[in-house]
Amino acid sequence: MALPLSDMSHPILHYETYVSLAKLVLGFFLFYTVIHYICWQMTTGARRRCLIKKHGCKPINDTAELQSWKDSIFGWTQLAVTIQARKQGKLLVTTQHRFQRNGNTCHFKIAFTDIIFTTEPENLKAILAINFKDWNIPDRRKAASVPLLGHGIFTTDGSAWQHSRDLLRPNFVRDQVSDLATFEAHFRHLVANIPRDGSTVDMVPLFLRLTLDSATEFLFGESTNCLVPDDPDNNEAHRFQDAFNRLQEEVGNAGRGIPFFMRLNAEDIKTVHRFADHYAKLALGRHDDQILEKTISDRGRVRYVFLHELAKSIKDPIRLRSELLNVLLAGRDTTASLLGSLWFILANRPDIWTKLRQEVDALAGVHPTFEQLKNMRYLKYCLNETLRLYPVVPHNTRMSITDTVLPLGGGPYGKSPLLIPKGTIVGWSLYAMHRRTDLFGQDAEEFKPERWEKLRPGWEYLPFNGGPRICIGQQFALTEASYTTVRLMQEFKDIESRDPGPWRECMNITAVAHAAKVSLTPARC
């Protein structure tokens, strides 16, 4: 039996309806795209063309790695290279070779993300100082760091960062940094952990414990005492240190463009947060008279304690914990990294050990004062050279929050200004920049403290960052490293390397020497 005409027309009507709807949607999309393009060209495009014309910007040359379509879109090759280099402990050298192949400012794509890398001092001056307000910490770095560190001085920008910095700055005035009695107490614990029979000891983990002990006392008013032998009260501190190390490695990986492989262990996070919460709750629970009693120094004067001052302004325990972890990261890792690399060098360079010993022996065994440390020129040269070749924060990044310009990087030779659109990530490698032969001479790869007799670098040497975010704790780090080195050389008359291979990196958020295995001979039996 034949179907009614009305029933037979339904499929045709539905089809025509769908076609009409598709045309309407496509037309609307094309109209929106055209309008959006016109508006963009009249606003953002016009602003960028003005910047290009004003500064004479030229486009950056793509690197050879971006010539294939899969790398220009996905960036898989650079991601694979980065992962492999990290596993082999060669990330710093691999990055340096990238610059040697592609120039001092180059364009890469890593895991879908376009990144401009540079080792030009003038570019860093623009990012960190001249155009400081044009840049923030990249969102990816914040996302990787916040689960561990929370919102603090190293994970915030703008007014929140400024507030954290203002609260922290009083802790690093000269009177606090020059009080060496605290350093000496923890140094004695360090010496107690070094074998005196000539057997091998790895100084890197000892330095990490030393700086954790001194940082917690200096900043929080109480020490973890990780170096105190057979102390049952420091088990939690050891657990914290191990968990903190593991988490830092994963956070560092994510910040360097390996976000898919970040696996933050929930138990490790609980361990770290529980450790910091302990100090935060103590500070929030104390009365003013208890705080005063706890912060009287050996000289009978009131000592500023960062945590106690912070607790006056911050009553939220979570925020207080975040500030503590941010500060502790800087106070522990940077100084330990500097000491580990320096003592690796001292063990492998008898000529430098001998020359530095002459300067130390001039003290005739007397513990150095702050002024004496400042006047030890060769010691200063050794620290400067260590920070040049093995910077404690070898990589860093910023993200532009507005259209801005870098003075170098554009054109076929990278000598013209370069437009940086809003949202662009720019990274730099101090490890590579500090080894540029055009900046530090043909012997730039050589550890040569004597170069600092005449060397007066500017933005080409940035071991403690630069501009408004320059490290306010640099004098603390240099003082502790100087004091520890001098006192160790007073306690031990000779050193022998038990790890004769080249310096190897151990990368997390900072860079620490993989090991510094030595044998030390006591000055007094």
Side-chain angles (χ1 to χ4, degrees):
M1 184 175 68
L3 291 172
L5 183 59
S6 58
D7 291 339
M8 295 178 62
S9 65
H10 283 175
I12 298 175
L13 290 175
H14 287 317
Y15 175 76
E16 291 177 348
T17 301
Y18 292 147
V19 170
S20 299
L21 182 60
K23 289 180 178 179
L24 180 63
V25 171
L26 180 60
F28 178 79
F29 175 76
L30 291 175
F31 175 77
Y32 173 81
T33 301
V34 171
I35 295 300
H36 180 270
Y37 176 77
I38 293 173
C39 291
W40 187 91
Q41 287 291 347
M42 294 175 63
T43 54
T44 303
R47 182 174 63 251
R48 290 178 181 175
R49 288 191 295 273
C50 287
L51 281 173
I52 291 173
K53 183 177 180 180
K54 177 181 178 181
H55 297 279
C57 298
K58 294 183 179 179
I60 192 171
N61 285 341
D62 281 339
T63 59
E65 288 85 349
L66 287 179
Q67 298 304 314
S68 67
W69 67 268
K70 64 178 182 178
D71 286 320
S72 64
I73 297 175
F74 303 110
W76 292 128
T77 298
Q78 290 307 309
L79 177 61
V81 168
T82 300
I83 294 172
Q84 186 66 19
R86 184 190 66 82
K87 289 180 179 179
Q88 296 175 346
K90 297 180 179 179
L91 185 60
L92 297 178
V93 173
T94 299
T95 302
Q96 182 187 15
H97 291 167
R98 282 175 179 166
F99 286 109
Q100 291 172 344
R101 289 195 309 270
N102 299 291
N104 295 327
T105 302
C106 43
H107 171 213
F108 289 98
K109 184 182 284 286
I110 299 179
F112 298 97
T113 303
D114 288 288
I115 303 178
I116 303 296
F117 284 110
T118 187
T119 57
E120 290 287 6
E122 287 302 310
N123 285 347
L124 299 191
K125 182 179 179 180
I127 294 170
L128 298 174
I130 297 176
N131 299 324
F132 173 76
K133 293 183 178 180
D134 292 349
W135 302 88
N136 273 355
I137 297 171
D139 293 339
R140 184 169 64 190
R141 237 178 78 186
K142 292 179 183 178
S145 303
V146 166
L148 170 61
L149 300 176
H151 298 282
I153 191 169
F154 295 116
T155 58
T156 55
D157 294 293
S159 59
W161 161 77
Q162 188 65 58
H163 181 64
S164 294
R165 187 176 177 88
D166 290 343
L167 287 171
L168 179 58
R169 185 183 293 113
N171 206 52
F172 293 97
V173 297
R174 179 190 170 103
D175 286 346
Q176 306 301 332
V177 174
S178 62
D179 187 357
L180 301 177
T182 299
F183 290 146
E184 176 62 25
H186 296 298
F187 172 78
R188 299 311 313 172
H189 297 158
L190 171 68
V191 171
N193 283 268
I194 298 175
R196 307 182 75 84
D197 60 357
S199 56
T200 301
V201 58
D202 187 354
M203 298 299 292
V204 169
L206 293 182
F207 287 144
L208 284 168
R209 294 177 193 173
L210 169 71
T211 54
L212 179 61
D213 286 353
S214 61
T216 49
E217 179 162 353
F218 184 74
L219 297 168
F220 309 155
E222 294 185 13
S223 174
T224 52
N225 286 326
C226 283
L227 284 171
V228 177
D230 303 322
D231 185 350
D233 294 332
N234 64 15
N235 290 333
E236 184 67 17
H238 286 300
R239 284 192 290 270
F240 160 80
Q241 179 175 253
D242 293 338
F244 203 42
N245 288 343
R246 290 190 292 268
L247 291 169
Q248 281 183 273
E249 181 177 359
E250 295 303 328
V251 171
N253 289 339
R256 284 185 288 272
I258 319 177
F260 309 119
F261 300 90
M262 186 175 75
R263 301 177 298 273
L264 296 186
N265 184 282
E267 287 302 316
D268 282 346
I269 291 179
K270 288 181 181 178
T271 298
V272 170
H273 287 177
R274 182 171 60 246
F275 176 84
D277 287 340
H278 167 73
Y279 290 98
K281 290 175 181 177
L282 284 177
L284 291 172
R286 282 176 177 153
H287 299 293
D288 290 342
D289 56 341
Q290 292 175 309
I291 292 177
L292 182 63
E293 180 183 350
K294 283 285 186 179
T295 55
I296 297 294
S297 73
D298 294 337
R299 301 175 186 176
R301 59 180 175 80
V302 178
R303 177 167 57 88
Y304 178 96
V305 175
F306 167 65
L307 174 59
H308 299 161
E309 292 301 316
L310 203 62
K312 295 177 182 179
S313 304
I314 300 176
K315 300 305 179 183
D316 179 2
I318 302 300
R319 188 184 168 201
L320 192 56
R321 173 227 287 166
S322 298
E323 294 291 357
L324 297 182
L325 289 176
N326 275 257
V327 175
L328 188 58
L329 170 68
R332 185 195 76 143
D333 287 51
T334 53
T335 310
S337 175
L338 172 56
L339 281 167
S341 296
L342 174 60
W343 277 78
F344 177 88
I345 294 297
L346 291 176
N348 286 277
R349 289 288 299 275
D351 56 323
I352 295 175
W353 172 270
T354 300
K355 193 168 183 178
L356 184 57
R357 169 153 296 291
Q358 294 174 357
E359 192 170 60
V360 172
D361 287 347
L363 296 172
V366 177
H367 297 184
T369 65
F370 181 73
E371 289 300 326
Q372 286 173 324
L373 289 176
K374 287 183 62 178
N375 292 329
M376 297 182 72
R377 297 177 62 188
Y378 194 70
L379 173 61
K380 181 180 179 180
Y381 298 161
C382 288
L383 292 172
N384 287 349
E385 189 72 344
T386 303
L387 289 169
R388 184 184 71 84
L389 285 175
Y390 311 107
V392 295
V393 184
H395 294 158
N396 214 330
T397 54
R398 290 292 186 271
M399 181 180 70
S400 58
I401 57 174
T402 186
D403 295 336
T404 188
V405 172
L406 292 181
L408 295 170
Y413 304 104
K415 299 300 182 182
S416 299
L418 177 65
L419 174 70
I420 302 295
K422 178 181 178 180
T424 301
I425 294 178
V426 175
W428 60 91
S429 170
L430 296 183
Y431 182 90
M433 184 175 75
H434 288 177
R435 292 165 180 258
R436 281 177 52 176
T437 55
D438 59 324
L439 298 178
F440 292 96
Q442 293 302 313
D443 59 354
E445 294 277 354
E446 179 185 349
F447 191 95
K448 187 178 178 182
E450 291 76 14
R451 76 174 74 246
W452 292 92
E453 293 175 356
K454 298 181 179 179
L455 187 62
R456 298 295 182 269
W459 285 89
E460 64 269 28
Y461 177 70
L462 297 174
F464 293 102
N465 214 339
R469 292 191 85 131
I470 191 171
C471 177
I472 57 178
Q474 61 177 296
Q475 192 58 60
F476 175 86
L478 290 172
T479 299
E480 182 173 17
S482 298
Y483 188 83
T484 302
T485 297
V486 170
R487 292 290 292 115
L488 277 173
M489 295 188 75
Q490 289 178 328
E491 287 286 329
F492 298 95
K493 64 182 180 181
D494 204 2
I495 188 172
E496 178 185 341
S497 174
R498 296 290 171 86
D499 189 10
W503 182 92
R504 290 172 293 164
E505 67 189 55
C506 180
M507 295 291 294
N508 44 55
I509 297 177
T510 59
V512 181
H514 182 270
K517 296 180 181 180
V518 303
S519 169
L520 292 167
T521 304
R524 298 177 296 276
C525 297

